[in-house]
Amino acid sequence: MQVINAVGRRKTAVARIYMKQGNGAVTVNGRELKEYFPSEILQIVLNQPFTAVNATGQYDLKVNVQGGGIAGQAEAVRMAIARALCEANTENRPALKKEGFLTRDSRMVERKKYGRRKARKRFQFSKR
């Protein structure tokens, strides 16, 4: 049985997945999907690539994800799944590309600058 592994990133989250033929079992960091991502929205985000190519429940996933917050982690896993589906079947690529699942979202948190309160916020300015 062929195991496909892929990497997905979003903000500071990095997801490594191992995908093989199966019946849709997903374990994230050794825990069940619904336990790790209790929010239904994040579960939907994670399953979007499967619904885009009509492959829901056809693959088992073992996911290792670290860094970032829960939303960034879910989107990192989504990207990794999309990359793995492209590797599994090249015919899936146009549908996933159209939805934007293969594009790395490069937006990151801007660093705080010295002499300022936050990244862009300045201290109050008084002309007189």
Side-chain angles (χ1 to χ4, degrees), residues 56-67:
T56 309
Q58 293 180 16
Y59 296 99
D60 287 347
L61 294 176
K62 184 178 176 289
V63 181
N64 295 324
V65 64
Q66 62 263 346

Side-chain angles (χ1 to χ4, degrees), residues 20-65:
K20 62 182 180 181
Q21 291 288 134
N23 53 9
V26 180
T27 55
V28 183
N29 290 353
R31 288 155 58 188
E32 199 61 41
L33 172 67
K34 285 179 171 56
E35 187 186 334
Y36 194 84
F37 294 115
S39 168
E40 196 174 320
I41 293 164
L42 296 177
Q43 292 171 26
I44 291 167
V45 164
L46 200 114
N47 287 312
Q48 280 176 328
F50 291 124
T51 54
V53 297
N54 298 321
T56 309
Q58 293 180 16
Y59 296 99
D60 287 347
L61 294 176
K62 184 178 176 289
V63 181
N64 295 324
V65 64

Side-chain angles (χ1 to χ4, degrees), residues 72-111:
Q73 286 185 351
E75 291 186 27
V77 173
R78 177 177 72 182
M79 183 183 193
I81 292 169
R83 284 179 170 177
L85 285 170
C86 283
E87 205 174 311
N89 187 356
T90 52
E91 293 167 19
N92 293 336
R93 188 169 174 83
L96 293 167
K97 185 114 176 115
K98 185 175 155 276
E99 294 292 326
F101 298 145
L102 298 173
T103 307
R104 163 73 160 96
D105 192 344
S106 62
R107 294 177 295 172
M108 299 281 271
V109 175
E110 193 174 333
R111 70 171 283 268

Side-chain angles (χ1 to χ4, degrees), residues 14-26:
V14 180
R16 294 174 188 86
I17 69 158
Y18 303 93
M19 187 173 84
K20 62 182 180 181
Q21 291 288 134
N23 53 9
V26 180

